[in-house]
Amino acid sequence: MCGIIGYTGPLAAKNVLLNGLSQLEYRGYDSAGIAFFGADQKVHVLKTVGKVARLRDLCAGIQEEIHCGIGHTRWATHGGVTAENAHPHQAGRVTMIHNGIIENYHQLTADFELEEKLISQTDTEVAARVLDALYDGDPLASLRRFQPLLKGSYSFCILFSDHPGEIYALRNVSPLVAAYTHSGSIVASDLTALIPYTKKYVVVPEDRVVKMTPYRMAFYDENGHEIQPEILEVNWDTDAAMKNGFPHFMLKEIHEQPDAMKNTILPRLTRGLPDFSEDGIPDQIFADCSQIRIVACGTAMHAGMVARAIMEPLLRIPVLVSVASEFRYEDPLVDSRTLAIVISQSGETIDTLAALRLSKKLGASVLSVVNVKGSTIARESDYVLYTHAGPEIAVASTKAYSVQLAALYMIICRMALVRGKMTEQDGCAFMSDLLDVIPAMESMIQRKEEIRQLVRPLVDKPDAFFIGRNLDYAFSLEGALKLKEISYIHADAYAAGELKHGTIALIADQVPVVALATQDRIFSKTISNVREVKARGAYVILIAKESAAVDEGLADVCIRIPDLHDRFTVFPIAVVLQLIAYYASLLKGLDVDQPRNLAKSVTVE
Ligand code: AGP
């Protein structure tokens, strides 16, 4: 939540900051602001409520050449969406932008007697005033005194008015990546803002201070000694973070799914079987565990729900899926024989990170499925299976979900082999079925116009219901989330058999019901539930396999997906459900990529 960027160097800083903020805008878009050293060597601040486009208009008046500045795009936590609460915040010689939450800001307000001085309602202004109170003209020494006073998560970029041309940055938990290039020094919340300038970067180590000048970037530990963080290289380019002719990132990312699947699966196949030796994941963790705990949030958690529905019956060990924000507080049964599988696209979701840390503390082995290389979750896990989706910019997760599933299916297969629940021949067949989903996904993407048409009856409805049994139920959870987060249609998913225990009371004339019936074993049971809602007037969109026998009149619309093994239908279904949500949002004229109240990475509790 919140995107931050800092740049000092020979380029026009106004452009670097504004372009960077546009890239980072998916992290929050309530308000935006920049601060910079002007030709007069003084710090100037411009900020506004609204999106980066509005900040860009505000900055149009800046005629002078700027070479050093910081920029922020906000997702409000403390304090409403107002210009006062927008970043940067200033106090004396300090100008600061912040991503995260300073949990002890009340205490700091009292300790430093700030109550009367505060202009905004933000924890960030408190932090800026504390730092100003500590500041003695030596930024590094002052930051060393400042950092131990803070509780919470943060990444900061700071200008000191008596140090023109310099930017200081530090972090705890909240992400921050930095690069020194021939075009100057740059730091930002994520790589999308850096890649137009370089492919080499460092993840700013936690509790370290970065000093940036146009000529150098240096990192200091808590004793003021310079350290050399590891230099990483990103393997995607600027195109990956651009729309490339698509009207929205979401549609582009839906189209990228087949390639993302190939990139995630193919490099890990040896003689047709999953092989994690290059990932450094030993078979031992699969052999030794007596239970699996999957923890994640949102879409990633839904991928875990699908995996669970296959894992437990196949592996015959308990598999539990927990919402990460609940797991932390439920005193979970985790021990040294637990394999914790942590799933996160961003690798920065704070609740998922906390669940990971708790699992480790309780003795579990932690295997994470992460998309962003070098992210905090990836670095803190015992083992990482990276998904190779490339950057996912749209707030609504699409390709990350598919590749999370692909990675989880590979884990399932490897584990079944290691535990003697599959022969090599079964394993090869399983992986071959997994590869077959790629053309199936492609075929559904090609049918997007058909899906656009059938979405029309949904868009003026306040509610929609998604139903399915077993795996179909797990898939429908994601369909409902997708629809509600970008179309604002209230949508919920129900196990189809559970409907008549209460929810069916909500089914009335023309209420949309998206029914998933792709599991051969229980097809007729689901169809009975479809009849029940149809009998009460529902507008039914049925998703079934090509060969499934569907009676005339059972559904208002029937979307056929290719005939795949039951376990694998999720992949084409995911495409259909994503397209339903996409077109519902589009037809309602909403902001598809940046829906209200949301941000891409949830880095606050
Ligand atoms: C779904 O479309 C959302 N973007 C959201 O539910 C997301 O999946 C969740 O916040 C988890 O994010 P992560 O994968 O980056 O941890």
Side-chain angles (χ1 to χ4, degrees), residues 221-238:
D221 68 12
E222 65 275 25
N223 301 313
H225 299 136
E226 195 170 337
I227 54 155
Q228 302 295 337
E230 185 190 357
I231 295 175
L232 304 170
E233 190 154 354
V234 65
N235 60 359
W236 40 268
D237 57 22
T238 31

Side-chain angles (χ1 to χ4, degrees), residues 296-302 343-350 352 377 392 394-398 400 404 478 481-482 485 598-602:
C297 299
T299 292
M301 194 273 291
H302 293 158
I343 313 165
S344 176
Q345 186 284 129
S346 62
E348 302 294 348
T349 302
I350 195 88
T352 310
I377 289 176
E392 190 181 65
V395 165
S397 191
T398 53
Q404 281 161 356
E478 177 58 8
L481 175 64
K482 229 41 349 140
E485 72 177 325
L598 293 174
K600 184 71 179 163
S601 329
V602 182

Side-chain angles (χ1 to χ4, degrees), residues 197-211:
Y197 311 99
T198 180
K199 286 196 164 188
K200 294 209 164 102
Y201 69 100
V202 297
V203 174
V204 175
E206 283 188 41
D207 304 324
R208 302 293 185 256
V209 175
V210 191
K211 176 181 175 182

Side-chain angles (χ1 to χ4, degrees), residues 176-256:
L176 205 55
V177 288
Y180 175 71
T181 76
H182 60 274
S183 315
S185 302
I186 184 162
V187 65
S189 298
D190 83 36
L191 286 172
T192 51
L194 259 54
I195 46 168
Y197 311 99
T198 180
K199 286 196 164 188
K200 294 209 164 102
Y201 69 100
V202 297
V203 174
V204 175
E206 283 188 41
D207 304 324
R208 302 293 185 256
V209 175
V210 191
K211 176 181 175 182
M212 296 162 52
T213 72
Y215 318 105
R216 188 158 193 265
M217 177 173 268
F219 298 82
Y220 297 93
D221 68 12
E222 65 275 25
N223 301 313
H225 299 136
E226 195 170 337
I227 54 155
Q228 302 295 337
E230 185 190 357
I231 295 175
L232 304 170
E233 190 154 354
V234 65
N235 60 359
W236 40 268
D237 57 22
T238 31
D239 278 3
M242 307 299 245
K243 286 186 196 154
N244 290 346
F246 285 93
H248 299 99
F249 279 111
M250 185 179 175
L251 190 61
K252 173 181 174 246
E253 289 161 6
I254 289 172
H255 277 76
E256 285 172 344

Side-chain angles (χ1 to χ4, degrees), residues 155-169:
S155 50
F156 292 116
C157 286
I158 302 156
L159 304 179
F160 292 94
S161 59
D162 52 347
H163 285 260
E166 294 177 5
I167 298 172
Y168 293 81

